[in-house]
Amino acid sequence: MERKDIRNAVLTHLAGMGTKFVPAGVSARHVHLSQEDLAALFGPSYSLQPCKPLSQPGQFAAAEKVCVAGPRGEIQNVRVLGPVRGRTQVEMTFSELMRLGIPGEVRMSGNIGGTPGCILRGPAGQVCISCGVIVPARHLHMSPLQAAAFGLKDGEAVTLRMNGPRPGQLEQVICRVGEAHDLEVHLDTDEANAFCITDSTLLEVVAPAAEKPNGSCGGKCGGSCGCGGFCEKKEIPPSEPETPLMDLVTERDVEDAWKRGISVIRCLPRCIVTDAARERAMSLEIEIKR
């Protein structure tokens, strides 16, 4: 039995007793290729060469690497992971996609409809994918046995707490439960660095994401049935989408905010706001607030 298997068996046992911690796995940028794109980049009838097994059963890091290119630049030597998939997918952090000039779309793996594309270059050629570039959403892998011990279900969102020099909470971590999964929460390098998290760091499962309560009244009590006032009939003003605190605002940021229905762009105290961004914000009636 490998050390990882022993660790996960212990954590699963402890979870059944009420002490719930999960190990972190920090995921660097990588590419999943379809067989068609693999052939275009590395040659006809080419097969990936496994060089290292990954934490999830059947997954491996391949010896092959590609170049990922966008409007503003390129990143060399991006690792290919196997096995091949039905559709090509590129997973990078927000900061890396900013370098490439590609918009960052946070998605669960496999959900690539409507996402940006890029150019991939390999030793035998290049391909231009029309979609498939994502910032991977944080997620927690679990087998059915592990999920039962933790009291969690596939697709459920949980909150994890990081203790240490940079404590904080990671919300909306989506559970992925299946026989081909093993206990580990996957974070990208941006998220991990922000919390000083490394591989195998233990994060505490605080609670599943809070669901909107609803009593048995069918939404007609106005809060008197113990539903907390969240019955369907009670009107709750929708929350306005927000931007993260920004340290640089460009004209493109303003236009993206306008498309998302955001009326206020929130900035850090020393944020740099370009002149073009100020003019565009005035024309679109968007407030840039420090």
Side-chain angles (χ1 to χ4, degrees):
M1 181 179 287
E2 296 184 7
R3 183 176 180 178
K4 174 180 73 72
D5 297 328
I6 296 173
R7 177 202 66 190
N8 286 356
V10 172
L11 291 174
T12 302
H13 176 72
L14 290 174
M17 300 174 65
T19 302
K20 301 179 181 181
F21 286 86
V22 295
V26 182
S27 182
R29 58 180 178 257
H30 59 270
V31 174
H32 300 277
L33 293 175
S34 67
Q35 186 61 51
E36 179 182 3
D37 289 342
L38 176 65
L41 295 170
F42 292 92
S45 303
Y46 192 89
S47 298
L48 290 175
Q49 307 301 307
C51 68
K52 180 183 177 182
L54 300 178
S55 62
Q56 299 308 301
Q59 306 294 307
F60 61 86
E64 291 74 20
K65 298 178 181 179
V66 297
C67 169
V68 179
R72 296 180 186 169
E74 61 184 37
I75 296 178
Q76 300 277 353
N77 298 320
V78 180
R79 180 76 63 181
V80 177
L81 302 188
V84 294
R85 293 192 176 186
R87 299 179 70 183
T88 293
Q89 179 175 295
V90 178
E91 299 186 28
M92 289 190 161
T93 65
F94 261 116
S95 56
E96 289 165 341
L97 292 180
M98 287 178 66
R99 287 170 51 191
L100 297 179
I102 299 175
E105 290 276 351
V106 179
R107 296 287 186 92
M108 290 296 291
S109 181
N111 179 20
I112 62 174
T115 56
C118 70
I119 295 174
L120 300 175
R121 299 193 182 102
Q126 73 174 34
V127 294
C128 180
I129 59 173
S130 59
C131 67
V133 179
I134 68 169
V135 176
R138 54 181 76 126
H139 54 279
L140 173 58
H141 291 281
M142 313 180 89
S143 70
L145 181 64
Q146 292 162 346
F150 279 83
L152 298 172
K153 304 185 295 293
D154 184 46
E156 188 171 5
V158 298
T159 297
L160 305 179
R161 176 186 292 137
M162 169 60 184
N163 301 309
R166 282 189 171 177
Q169 292 192 165
L170 291 161
E171 299 179 350
Q172 292 297 312
V173 182
I174 307 300
C175 296
R176 304 196 71 174
V177 180
E179 295 295 345
H181 299 267
D182 196 16
L183 188 64
E184 191 171 70
V185 57
H186 282 183
L187 308 172
D188 69 25
T189 52
D190 276 359
E191 294 175 306
N193 291 341
F195 287 89
C196 294
I197 294 172
T198 59
D199 282 332
S200 297
T201 296
L202 294 182
L203 305 178
E204 182 182 3
V205 180
V206 179
E211 295 182 359
K212 186 173 71 174
N214 195 6
S216 58
C217 63
K220 300 178 181 179
C221 75
S224 62
C225 77
C227 68
F230 286 99
C231 287
E232 296 174 2
K233 192 169 183 177
K234 182 173 180 179
E235 295 184 1
I236 303 173
S239 58
E240 180 175 315
E242 295 183 345
T243 61
L245 288 173
M246 305 181 69
D247 56 6
L248 171 65
V249 179
T250 65
E251 183 179 13
R252 182 172 182 174
D253 294 324
V254 175
E255 291 178 349
D256 287 344
W258 178 76
K259 291 176 182 177
R260 293 170 55 195
I262 294 173
S263 60
V264 179
I265 296 177
R266 302 178 303 138
C267 305
L268 293 168
R270 297 184 179 180
C271 174
I272 298 173
V273 181
T274 66
D275 291 339
R278 293 182 189 279
E279 293 177 2
R280 191 62 173 150
M282 290 180 62
S283 67
L284 296 176
E285 297 184 350
I286 292 177
E287 179 185 359
I288 299 177
K289 186 176 181 179
R290 297 183 187 273

